[in-house]
Amino acid sequence: MESFNRRRFLATTGGGLAGILATRIPPARGQQREISYLCWNNFAPNSDKKLAEIGQRFTRDTGIKLRIDHVSHMGPQQAKYAAEVQTQAGHDLVEMRMHFPWLYEPQLVDVSDVVGELEKKYGKALGSSYEGAHVNGVWRAVPQYHGMFVATYREDLFKQAGLKVPDTWEDLYVVGKELKKMGHPVGIPISQNYDSISTAGPVLWSFGGMEVDKDGKMVRINAPATAQMIEWYRKMFRDCMEPEVLSWSDASNNESIQQGKAGWIHNPVSAYIVAKQRKLVTADGINHHRSLAGPHGRHETDTPRHIGIWKFSKNVEASKEWIRYLLGKREVYDEYIMSGDAFNLPTYEKLQDHPVLRTDPKYAALRGEGVQYHTYGWPAPPSDKVQLITNTYLLPNMIAKAVTGTSTKDAMAWAETEMKKILAG
């Protein structure tokens, strides 16, 4: 047998030890690959537990160590993204909602190859995911799941009082007055959070209004349709709700109906999921119905989530491996979706009749036949400007001004000025 001398060692190791010493970079084979993933606290808590479990299996199967961190919604999440971009350091992967991929387009890796594989397997991503994550011809984030806003109401209270389940926003005003007299007011936040926007959008659209025209350039908020929407909010706030909605967070309407106070809220099914899992006394009485209609039809908010990879990540390929493992393996994706108990809905066409919708008859309102899904800012095309209008809460701020004393005319004029500033860049 030929002896394994120094010359042979150098030949079989490429640049050899001398090369390693020269570059001060150890051979990749000996390194432990590690990635980090920043995501939201899911409103269906079991989903976070399942994600951690899947992450452990991913590490075991691939040898890639995965650290999952969670951040609460809105302010902390926006600040975290901004800090990581500014310092060009932080996590490898980030969960993004709505149009954040547009806002951070220059900072995100092209993941069209991963999305292409998923669409080949599951069909096209839903339109709302496409709007949010497909930026200027490139997928800047991978569609993960979507959450649909429906009406969540206390069916037991409605039956007790003989109230008709509303079909329109005007119907809600009629039953809302009775609910407030019963001590169970309507719970629609009018404050700086996403739920406020997720309700204000459908109300505005159903009255025929919009923030920005479909050309993405002309601000249209100062219009008769907006005035009608504001007048509806004004009477709802006065006759059907409590002033506390002016300071609510994204979790407040959930908590209000879970704790037995609110009689009706506009929200994904997370309020019911948590009530059911925690065996709260209100769980049996909660049910859902479709979001409401107005003079210009029924429009519903969809909230797509995506996974993006920062360009400053030094672990792009390992990050893509994690996305493929979580979303690309059908059995794993199913497991993840089922853990969300119908809060995390699959966002690919062939998966729309998913078994998760048949796990509970109270999820019937989530079957999307005829649903006009819209993301924030519709009918304006998705853009970074649309996300900035969202991030500055102009729609709920305008409504809050109006219901607390500012004239409708002045509230609309204020919103128009602020939106024009953002579009002017």
Side-chain angles (χ1 to χ4, degrees):
M1 179 182 292
E2 186 182 358
S3 63
F4 195 80
N5 58 28
R6 180 175 180 276
R7 179 172 297 176
R8 172 88 186 249
F9 171 77
L10 292 175
T12 56
T13 56
L17 182 59
I20 295 170
L21 293 174
T23 62
R24 298 186 178 182
I25 299 173
R29 181 175 296 176
Q31 292 179 333
Q32 165 84 59
R33 289 193 293 171
E34 180 174 347
I35 57 174
S36 56
Y37 176 30
L38 178 67
C39 53
W40 292 25
N41 293 322
N42 197 292
F43 280 112
N46 285 349
S47 182
D48 287 341
K49 294 178 183 175
K50 178 57 69 176
L51 191 68
E53 183 186 319
I54 294 171
Q56 290 175 354
R57 297 207 308 262
F58 168 75
T59 297
R60 184 194 64 203
D61 293 346
T62 65
I64 301 171
K65 188 176 180 181
L66 171 66
R67 190 186 85 230
I68 301 176
D69 295 322
H70 294 271
V71 64
S72 58
H73 300 164
M74 288 301 278
Q77 164 252 314
Q78 291 181 35
K80 187 67 175 171
Y81 289 177
E84 295 198 352
V85 166
Q86 186 172 11
T87 59
Q88 293 288 286
H91 295 81
D92 298 287
L93 305 111
V94 285
E95 179 180 335
M96 293 186 152
R97 169 182 160 136
M98 285 284 183
H99 304 105
F100 272 99
W102 286 82
L103 191 59
Y104 289 109
E105 176 192 7
Q107 304 293 335
L108 292 169
V109 169
D110 180 352
V111 288
S112 301
D113 54 341
V114 180
V115 180
E117 294 167 16
L118 295 174
E119 288 193 324
K120 188 175 182 180
K121 185 176 291 186
Y122 303 141
K124 292 291 185 184
L126 295 184
S128 53
S129 294
Y130 184 89
E131 288 178 25
H134 194 258
V135 184
N136 294 321
V138 173
W139 285 99
R140 291 294 172 189
V142 181
Q144 181 183 13
Y145 66 89
H146 75 113
M148 179 179 164
F149 269 73
V150 293
T152 299
Y153 72 110
R154 285 285 301 279
E155 186 176 34
D156 53 340
L157 296 177
F158 273 62
K159 288 181 178 177
Q160 176 187 326
L163 299 177
K164 180 185 174 185
V165 175
D167 185 55
T168 68
W169 297 109
E170 285 304 320
D171 290 344
L172 179 62
Y173 175 67
V174 174
V175 300
K177 287 191 293 184
E178 299 304 315
L179 287 169
K180 186 173 181 179
K181 291 176 186 174
M182 295 165 62
H184 299 286
V186 170
I188 297 175
I190 308 175
S191 49
Q192 295 189 346
N193 62 49
Y194 283 147
D195 280 355
S196 296
I197 303 169
S198 297
T199 303
V203 178
L204 178 64
W205 301 327
S206 71
F207 278 104
M210 64 186 77
E211 295 159 272
V212 178
D213 211 332
K214 58 185 177 183
D215 64 4
K217 299 176 181 175
M218 297 297 295
V219 174
R220 300 293 190 193
I221 195 67
N222 195 346
T226 307
Q228 292 178 45
M229 180 265 255
I230 287 177
E231 290 310 312
W232 178 85
Y233 262 99
R234 204 190 297 278
K235 67 183 183 182
M236 286 295 298
F237 181 74
R238 182 188 65 225
D239 299 334
C240 309
M241 303 200 285
E242 297 287 350
E244 64 188 21
V245 300
L246 294 171
S247 60
W248 272 7
S249 71
D250 273 330
S252 300
N253 56 350
N254 297 37
E255 293 165 355
S256 183
I257 201 165
Q258 289 161 357
Q259 294 165 4
K261 183 172 183 180
W264 190 101
I265 67 171
H266 191 240
N267 204 69
V269 294
S270 51
Y272 169 65
I273 290 169
V274 172
K276 185 170 62 169
Q277 291 176 351
R278 295 179 181 172
K279 303 186 186 307
L280 301 181
V281 294
T282 50
D284 288 344
I286 292 176
N287 206 344
H288 309 96
H289 63 79
R290 288 280 299 276
S291 190
L292 301 174
H296 287 259
R298 189 187 315 272
H299 301 269
E300 297 172 276
T301 299
D302 196 35
T303 55
R305 261 73 162 193
H306 338 279
I307 306 175
I309 304 173
W310 291 131
K311 276 187 178 174
F312 57 73
S313 168
K314 295 180 175 58
N315 304 291
V316 170
E317 289 309 313
S319 296
K320 287 184 177 180
E321 281 192 58
W322 163 240
I323 297 174
R324 289 185 172 106
Y325 191 93
L326 177 66
L327 307 181
K329 292 174 176 282
R330 176 61 193 268
E331 68 279 12
V332 177
Y333 191 40
D334 278 349
E335 187 181 350
Y336 176 58
I337 291 295
M338 294 298 281
S339 72
D341 202 7
F343 180 78
N344 307 347
L345 297 171
T347 190
Y348 296 91
E349 286 180 350
K350 292 181 182 177
L351 304 180
Q352 292 310 293
D353 185 28
H354 197 273
V356 74
L357 296 174
R358 296 188 287 278
T359 57
D360 191 320
K362 292 184 178 180
Y363 297 150
L366 292 171
R367 294 185 180 134
E369 295 89 353
V371 170
Q372 296 187 55
Y373 287 134
H374 301 314
T375 50
Y376 296 162
W378 181 86
S383 70
D384 56 337
K385 302 294 176 56
V386 167
Q387 189 61 54
L388 284 173
I389 288 174
T390 298
N391 289 359
T392 42
Y393 315 106
L394 296 185
L395 204 53
N397 285 351
M398 177 190 71
I399 298 167
K401 285 176 178 290
V403 302
T404 55
T406 302
S407 71
T408 299
K409 178 182 176 183
D410 288 347
M412 292 193 301
W414 171 84
E416 180 182 37
T417 299
E418 296 302 312
M419 290 181 186
K420 283 182 175 178
K421 288 179 186 174
I422 290 176
L423 290 193

